[in-house]
Amino acid sequence: MPIINFTNPIAVLLGVILFVLVLYLGRETKKSWIMATMLVAFLLLLIAHTIEFSTIASTSDIIRKATMTSATFDLVFIFLSFITYLWIDDMEVKEGKKKSIDNSLDWFWNKA
């Protein structure tokens, strides 16, 4: 079975709760490194699921499907972590009155 099995609804619920709690902590402290840590954790989890998927024997279709589902949830969490990292980083720059190179979220909101 996968390292963290996201085919189990309880594991998905715990992942979402953990994500929301870290997001709340990052938003309240306005520290982007908190969300960057969450992003790196999900990237490492994706790497672990990918390695696990590549080493599974071809006879275990159930485990292969569970690993692919877990990797899919990893990608969703990575996307959400990246977007929230950009959002909190923008908040951190505005609060600290730091010089920003660009507004990282413009590409997400603009309708070109």
Side-chain angles (χ1 to χ4, degrees):
M1 290 310 261
I3 295 169
I4 295 179
N5 189 1
F6 282 127
T7 58
N8 183 356
I10 293 173
V12 174
L13 182 64
L14 288 175
V16 169
I17 289 171
L18 178 67
F19 178 80
V20 169
L21 288 175
V22 170
L23 173 62
Y24 180 75
L25 178 66
R27 189 184 67 153
E28 290 300 314
T29 61
K30 293 180 179 53
K31 302 289 183 195
S32 60
W33 65 267
I34 295 173
M35 284 311 296
T37 304
M38 190 69 147
L39 178 62
V40 168
F42 282 122
L43 283 170
L44 291 174
L45 195 57
L46 178 65
I47 291 169
H49 282 139
T50 303
I51 291 171
E52 186 176 7
F53 181 76
S54 65
T55 59
I56 292 175
S58 61
T59 58
S60 55
D61 290 333
I62 295 171
I63 296 174
R64 184 177 294 270
K65 185 176 179 182
T67 306
M68 285 300 293
T69 303
S70 296
T72 303
F73 274 104
D74 291 341
L75 289 171
V76 169
F77 279 125
I78 288 170
F79 175 72
L80 292 175
S81 296
F82 180 68
I83 296 299
T84 55
Y85 166 76
L86 291 177
W87 176 53
I88 292 176
D89 185 55
D90 188 48
M91 288 172 44
E92 182 179 3
V93 166
K94 286 179 182 176
E95 182 179 293
K97 294 181 179 42
K98 298 176 185 174
K99 183 179 178 183
S100 179
I101 297 172
D102 65 344
N103 186 0
S104 301
L105 290 176
D106 275 348
W107 64 269
F108 191 69
W109 303 115
N110 286 345
K111 294 178 173 91

